[in-house]
Amino acid sequence: MSVRTRFAPSPTGFLHIGGARTALFCQLHTRRLGGTFILRIEDTDRERSTQQAVDAILDGLHWLGLDPDEGPFFQSDNTPLYLAAAQRLLEEGKAYRCTCSKESIDALRESQREQQIKPRYDGRCRDRHDQPTDQPYVIRFRTPSEGSTAWEDQIQGTIRFPNDELDDLVLVRSDGSPTYNLAVVVDDHNMGITLVLRGEDHISNTPRQIHLFQALGWPVPEYAHMPLLHGSDGSKLSKRHGAVSVLQYREDGFLPDALNNYLVRLGWSHGEQELFTRQEMQTLFDVRQVGRSAAIFNLSKLLWINGNHIRTATPQQLLPELIYQLAKRGIQQPDPQWLLQVIPEFQTRAKTLVEMADKCLFLFAESVLPYEEKAAQKHFYTANVQSIIALHDGLQQLPEWQAAAIEACFRQVVADLQLEMGQLAQPVRVALTGTASSPGIHETLFLLGRERALRRLQEAVSLLPNNK
Ligand code: GLU
């Protein structure tokens, strides 16, 4: 039997980082076993579902490289299938019509609360022989009242629920709309899902879903319930702890594979290894090795992983994300070939693409004035103006703007004027970048291009106090 998993988000907001982890685990599970990863949008709650949220989920998954092999499917397209299943259960006596009004159910709950017993439907319509259809009704499932329901959860181990803890579940509301548990079971069956992998907040739904599979005579899939993500204070991960929307991580300069690497390690491990390529995750991940304890979200670890991925990525891999960040800074359509030469100079200097974009912004500026005050005080005003003029003139005469020639010219000026390297490099760095830190000075000159580099040196000469 081929392995099939599904990620089944409700489109009521952005793609949450916890949801992305579920999607990743679902995809990884199928990759190692040669299966199929399906995306199902659970939009039965029409009031809360929005197209904007659907788009945010699709965009987030796409950015992470988690596009489904099949789908997206929409539950709102399947309503007749859910209703047909409910109808069958009704005909087979496994479900019944319940005409209890909202008021009578509320009153029942209230009295149960007063008696300090768990509020639940008491089954008063269960054994009625008349099944009136001339008044509003819901369809309820006849939940087994004895015995227990158990499954071997691939993450949590054996889980068992006594059936008498579960009341008769509503399958179809009085407005004719199917409920979550019914829709999920019908879809999981029709889509041939072999493993339901989801957050542990769904554990309490599972015995109900197993009952429905059994009542409909369908094979029960396997289940794996993942521990939820928590913030550093131990509470459920929320906005208070920082960004929870996947696409916010793109804005903040994270690489998709760094985020995947980080997410895969939240709950799963492979020896002591912290850094994983996409390929490694796909061959090594095994859902049965996911731990049971809550995973704690830790931004500094994510930054560390991101920095590592930035260092080891190819410039080509970083290109789209850098272009994205530069566009946000007003740099439109930079030359990609040139950017591929820029990127290696910054890979060891940035933990995020935000940092990288900020650090290389000087390359695009019309002018880097005013210089950073501290940098100018320290390296610039004390500089030997003659050395900068000599460098400018030497560079101007280079037949080609080429890294090795630039370096030779630079060394020549240093030697001719008997300077220390830094005595020329630091003021030149301030002139070129406006700051005291940048990649190597020769590389910086090269990347700026002849025209910009010479203009900035001239600008510096005109500003230096002893230029007259
Ligand atoms: N739609 C549910 C949610 O977003 C998931 C249901 C499931 O995975 O069974 O929480």
Side-chain angles (χ1 to χ4, degrees):
M1 190 164 61
S2 75
V3 170
R4 291 168 70 83
T5 60
R6 87 300 195 280
F7 173 49
S10 305
T12 54
F14 46 75
L15 177 59
H16 190 278
I17 189 94
R21 187 177 62 135
T22 305
L24 174 66
F25 283 22
C26 283
Q27 193 210 48
L28 292 179
H29 180 73
T30 63
R31 287 299 175 270
R32 189 169 56 88
L33 303 169
T36 306
F37 166 53
I38 297 163
L39 174 62
R40 181 170 80 219
I41 304 286
E42 304 213 316
D43 58 348
T44 46
D45 185 343
R46 303 304 292 162
E47 307 248 291
R48 294 179 62 221
S49 303
T50 64
Q51 184 58 43
Q52 211 182 3
V54 172
D55 294 342
I57 289 167
L58 297 179
D59 291 350
L61 290 177
H62 180 69
W63 179 69
L64 283 171
L66 297 175
D67 290 318
D69 304 318
E70 286 181 16
F73 298 106
F74 292 83
Q75 282 195 324
S76 55
D77 292 335
N78 291 346
T79 310
L81 299 176
Y82 311 142
L83 297 182
Q87 189 59 34
R88 175 147 79 82
L89 292 173
L90 208 51
E91 282 160 14
E92 293 175 4
K94 295 171 181 165
Y96 59 92
R97 295 190 182 90
C98 164
T99 52
C100 293
S101 64
K102 185 176 174 304
E103 291 71 30
S104 72
I105 302 260
D106 286 349
L108 172 69
R109 290 225 171 94
E110 192 48 42
S111 83
Q112 286 170 331
R113 229 170 265 132
E114 275 165 17
Q115 296 167 56
Q116 301 196 334
I117 47 179
K118 202 171 141 196
R120 52 181 288 162
Y121 179 61
D122 62 0
R124 54 179 75 165
C125 286
R126 202 177 220 239
D127 297 315
R128 273 171 72 156
H129 291 295
D130 59 328
Q131 287 267 302
T133 50
D134 57 345
Q135 28 182 312
Y137 64 84
V138 300
I139 299 178
R140 282 190 190 269
F141 181 63
R142 200 182 284 276
T143 302
S145 47
E146 287 171 359
S148 62
T149 301
W151 73 95
E152 197 54 39
D153 196 280
Q154 297 208 358
I155 295 174
Q156 310 283 340
T158 309
I159 302 186
R160 181 179 299 278
F161 277 83
N163 289 335
D164 63 7
E165 276 188 13
L166 305 171
D167 60 4
D168 286 351
L169 177 74
V170 175
L171 300 177
V172 180
R173 300 185 191 90
S174 59
D175 64 1
S177 62
T179 58
Y180 159 73
N181 282 298
L182 174 64
V184 164
V185 167
V186 172
D187 280 342
D188 283 345
H189 173 68
N190 287 339
M191 294 174 179
I193 302 302
T194 55
L195 174 70
V196 173
L197 184 60
R198 59 188 173 194
E200 67 185 6
D201 48 337
H202 285 285
I203 286 181
S204 61
N205 288 319
T206 305
R208 296 185 173 286
Q209 295 178 10
I210 291 177
H211 287 158
L212 286 174
F213 276 107
Q214 289 168 340
L216 288 159
W218 294 336
V220 179
E222 301 221 65
Y223 289 93
H225 288 92
M226 306 168 36
L228 298 183
L229 295 189
H230 289 238
S232 49
D233 58 357
S235 65
K236 200 172 150 190
L237 191 69
S238 73
K239 276 192 187 151
R240 261 178 328 113
H241 301 107
V244 284
S245 151
V246 164
L247 289 175
Q248 185 58 45
Y249 284 90
R250 178 176 206 202
E251 302 303 318
D252 295 347
F254 289 89
L255 285 176
D257 274 353
L259 193 53
N260 282 325
N261 183 162
Y262 178 68
L263 290 175
V264 85
R265 283 285 295 106
L266 286 177
W268 175 79
S269 58
H270 180 73
E272 302 284 296
Q273 191 172 340
E274 289 292 356
L275 299 169
F276 294 86
T277 63
R278 189 79 189 199
Q279 193 55 44
E280 284 174 315
M281 288 187 232
Q282 294 187 351
T283 42
L284 296 172
F285 179 80
D286 184 343
V287 69
R288 286 165 305 188
Q289 293 166 348
V290 174
R292 270 193 256 174
S293 44
I296 306 287
F297 197 84
N298 175 338
L299 189 61
S300 47
K301 183 164 175 198
L302 173 56
L303 274 167
W304 177 80
I305 290 181
N306 203 49
N308 274 287
H309 277 260
I310 288 180
R311 265 201 295 288
T312 53
T314 63
Q316 196 68 45
Q317 286 169 318
L318 299 179
L319 189 64
E321 294 307 313
L322 183 61
I323 289 179
Y324 180 77
Q325 291 294 341
L326 289 173
K328 286 175 67 173
R329 288 158 180 75
I331 314 289
Q332 302 300 335
Q333 300 182 326
D335 173 9
Q337 289 314 316
W338 173 71
L339 276 185
L340 288 174
Q341 294 182 299
V342 169
I343 289 170
E345 300 303 331
F346 291 89
Q347 280 180 263
T348 55
R349 294 166 189 272
K351 283 204 185 66
T352 68
L353 271 299
V354 164
E355 262 179 49
M356 188 181 281
D358 286 343
K359 286 193 174 169
C360 72
L361 216 48
F362 75 88
L363 290 169
F364 301 87
E366 269 317 304
S367 157
V368 292
L369 292 175
Y371 303 138
E372 239 176 55
E373 191 53 38
K374 252 191 168 164
Q377 287 298 346
K378 182 152 181 226
H379 303 294
F380 191 68
Y381 297 123
T382 55
N384 174 345
V385 71
Q386 293 313 323
S387 65
I388 299 182
I389 294 173
L391 178 67
H392 173 273
D393 294 349
L395 291 173
Q396 197 170 32
Q397 283 162 27
L398 289 181
E400 268 182 84
W401 196 254
Q402 197 217 50
I406 293 169
E407 180 169 354
C409 172
F410 201 97
R411 288 188 187 284
Q412 190 64 51
V413 174
V414 168
D416 288 351
L417 299 180
Q418 296 179 335
L419 301 169
E420 299 281 326
M421 193 64 182
Q423 284 176 290
L424 183 57
Q426 280 306 75
V428 166
R429 181 167 277 126
V430 176
L432 300 178
T433 72
T435 71
S437 78
S438 76
I441 198 69
H442 314 128
E443 290 80 3
T444 303
L445 281 162
F446 171 69
L447 291 173
L448 268 171
R450 185 196 299 264
E451 196 198 325
R452 280 215 159 126
L454 293 180
R455 182 152 22 94
R456 287 183 195 184
L457 291 177
Q458 269 165 8
E459 208 164 46
V461 168
S462 71
L463 286 166
L464 272 165
N466 53 345
N467 65 335
K468 285 153 212 139

PDB file of all heavy atoms in Angstrom, residues 6 8-10 42 180 184 198 202, ligand 1:
ATOM      1  N   ARG A   6      -1.487  13.785   4.717  1.00  0.00           N
ATOM      2  CA  ARG A   6      -2.119  15.049   4.334  1.00  0.00           C
ATOM      3  C   ARG A   6      -1.839  16.112   5.386  1.00  0.00           C
ATOM      4  O   ARG A   6      -1.719  15.841   6.573  1.00  0.00           O
ATOM      5  CB  ARG A   6      -3.618  14.853   4.117  1.00  0.00           C
ATOM      6  CG  ARG A   6      -4.539  14.968   5.316  1.00  0.00           C
ATOM      7  CD  ARG A   6      -4.256  13.973   6.414  1.00  0.00           C
ATOM      8  NE  ARG A   6      -5.324  13.852   7.388  1.00  0.00           N
ATOM      9  CZ  ARG A   6      -5.569  14.674   8.405  1.00  0.00           C
ATOM     10  NH1 ARG A   6      -4.792  15.711   8.635  1.00  0.00           N
ATOM     11  NH2 ARG A   6      -6.568  14.455   9.235  1.00  0.00           N
ATOM     12  N   ALA A   8      -3.748  19.454   6.661  1.00  0.00           N
ATOM     13  CA  ALA A   8      -5.153  19.862   6.533  1.00  0.00           C
ATOM     14  C   ALA A   8      -5.455  21.158   7.291  1.00  0.00           C
ATOM     15  O   ALA A   8      -6.206  21.159   8.258  1.00  0.00           O
ATOM     16  CB  ALA A   8      -6.044  18.729   7.040  1.00  0.00           C
ATOM     17  N   PRO A   9      -4.855  22.266   6.869  1.00  0.00           N
ATOM     18  CA  PRO A   9      -5.072  23.504   7.619  1.00  0.00           C
ATOM     19  C   PRO A   9      -6.465  24.097   7.398  1.00  0.00           C
ATOM     20  O   PRO A   9      -7.060  23.903   6.343  1.00  0.00           O
ATOM     21  CB  PRO A   9      -4.024  24.447   7.025  1.00  0.00           C
ATOM     22  CG  PRO A   9      -3.830  23.971   5.625  1.00  0.00           C
ATOM     23  CD  PRO A   9      -4.003  22.476   5.680  1.00  0.00           C
ATOM     24  N   SER A  10      -6.944  24.794   8.416  1.00  0.00           N
ATOM     25  CA  SER A  10      -8.169  25.589   8.265  1.00  0.00           C
ATOM     26  C   SER A  10      -7.736  26.991   7.842  1.00  0.00           C
ATOM     27  O   SER A  10      -6.869  27.580   8.493  1.00  0.00           O
ATOM     28  CB  SER A  10      -8.907  25.654   9.596  1.00  0.00           C
ATOM     29  OG  SER A  10      -9.141  24.347  10.063  1.00  0.00           O
ATOM     30  N   GLU A  42      -9.289  22.890   4.882  1.00  0.00           N
ATOM     31  CA  GLU A  42     -10.508  22.565   5.636  1.00  0.00           C
ATOM     32  C   GLU A  42     -11.321  23.840   5.844  1.00  0.00           C
ATOM     33  O   GLU A  42     -11.256  24.491   6.894  1.00  0.00           O
ATOM     34  CB  GLU A  42     -10.129  21.884   6.950  1.00  0.00           C
ATOM     35  CG  GLU A  42      -9.270  20.647   6.669  1.00  0.00           C
ATOM     36  CD  GLU A  42      -9.454  19.504   7.636  1.00  0.00           C
ATOM     37  OE1 GLU A  42      -9.516  19.755   8.847  1.00  0.00           O
ATOM     38  OE2 GLU A  42      -9.529  18.345   7.175  1.00  0.00           O
ATOM     39  N   TYR A 180     -16.782  18.955  11.530  1.00  0.00           N
ATOM     40  CA  TYR A 180     -15.367  18.654  11.304  1.00  0.00           C
ATOM     41  C   TYR A 180     -15.055  17.156  11.297  1.00  0.00           C
ATOM     42  O   TYR A 180     -14.447  16.635  10.367  1.00  0.00           O
ATOM     43  CB  TYR A 180     -14.530  19.396  12.356  1.00  0.00           C
ATOM     44  CG  TYR A 180     -13.160  18.810  12.550  1.00  0.00           C
ATOM     45  CD1 TYR A 180     -12.164  18.980  11.586  1.00  0.00           C
ATOM     46  CD2 TYR A 180     -12.856  18.041  13.680  1.00  0.00           C
ATOM     47  CE1 TYR A 180     -10.924  18.405  11.742  1.00  0.00           C
ATOM     48  CE2 TYR A 180     -11.612  17.462  13.840  1.00  0.00           C
ATOM     49  CZ  TYR A 180     -10.650  17.634  12.873  1.00  0.00           C
ATOM     50  OH  TYR A 180      -9.427  17.056  13.019  1.00  0.00           O
ATOM     51  N   VAL A 184     -13.562  15.096   8.046  1.00  0.00           N
ATOM     52  CA  VAL A 184     -12.191  14.574   8.083  1.00  0.00           C
ATOM     53  C   VAL A 184     -12.171  13.075   7.778  1.00  0.00           C
ATOM     54  O   VAL A 184     -11.346  12.594   6.997  1.00  0.00           O
ATOM     55  CB  VAL A 184     -11.566  14.860   9.472  1.00  0.00           C
ATOM     56  CG1 VAL A 184     -10.326  14.011   9.697  1.00  0.00           C
ATOM     57  CG2 VAL A 184     -11.221  16.324   9.591  1.00  0.00           C
ATOM     58  N   ARG A 198      -0.641  14.975  12.838  1.00  0.00           N
ATOM     59  CA  ARG A 198      -1.174  16.295  13.193  1.00  0.00           C
ATOM     60  C   ARG A 198      -0.799  16.620  14.624  1.00  0.00           C
ATOM     61  O   ARG A 198      -0.200  15.797  15.330  1.00  0.00           O
ATOM     62  CB  ARG A 198      -2.690  16.309  13.006  1.00  0.00           C
ATOM     63  CG  ARG A 198      -3.417  15.270  13.835  1.00  0.00           C
ATOM     64  CD  ARG A 198      -4.894  15.207  13.470  1.00  0.00           C
ATOM     65  NE  ARG A 198      -5.549  14.093  14.154  1.00  0.00           N
ATOM     66  CZ  ARG A 198      -6.757  13.643  13.826  1.00  0.00           C
ATOM     67  NH1 ARG A 198      -7.439  14.194  12.857  1.00  0.00           N
ATOM     68  NH2 ARG A 198      -7.287  12.634  14.491  1.00  0.00           N
ATOM     69  N   HIS A 202      -5.329  17.462  18.629  1.00  0.00           N
ATOM     70  CA  HIS A 202      -6.406  16.687  17.993  1.00  0.00           C
ATOM     71  C   HIS A 202      -6.586  15.299  18.595  1.00  0.00           C
ATOM     72  O   HIS A 202      -7.440  14.536  18.133  1.00  0.00           O
ATOM     73  CB  HIS A 202      -6.148  16.565  16.487  1.00  0.00           C
ATOM     74  CG  HIS A 202      -6.448  17.839  15.756  1.00  0.00           C
ATOM     75  ND1 HIS A 202      -7.728  18.254  15.513  1.00  0.00           N
ATOM     76  CD2 HIS A 202      -5.642  18.812  15.263  1.00  0.00           C
ATOM     77  CE1 HIS A 202      -7.700  19.415  14.883  1.00  0.00           C
ATOM     78  NE2 HIS A 202      -6.451  19.783  14.727  1.00  0.00           N
TER      79      HIS A 202
HETATM   80  N1  GLU B   1      -8.164  21.521  10.151  1.00  0.00           N
HETATM   81  C1  GLU B   1      -7.568  21.100  11.374  1.00  0.00           C
HETATM   82  C2  GLU B   1      -6.706  22.226  11.933  1.00  0.00           C
HETATM   83  O1  GLU B   1      -6.358  23.147  11.217  1.00  0.00           O
HETATM   84  C3  GLU B   1      -6.674  19.887  11.202  1.00  0.00           C
HETATM   85  C4  GLU B   1      -7.442  18.676  11.158  1.00  0.00           C
HETATM   86  C5  GLU B   1      -6.622  17.412  11.034  1.00  0.00           C
HETATM   87  O2  GLU B   1      -5.420  17.449  10.768  1.00  0.00           O
HETATM   88  O3  GLU B   1      -7.258  16.365  11.169  1.00  0.00           O
HETATM   89  O4  GLU B   1      -6.388  22.190  13.089  1.00  0.00           O
END
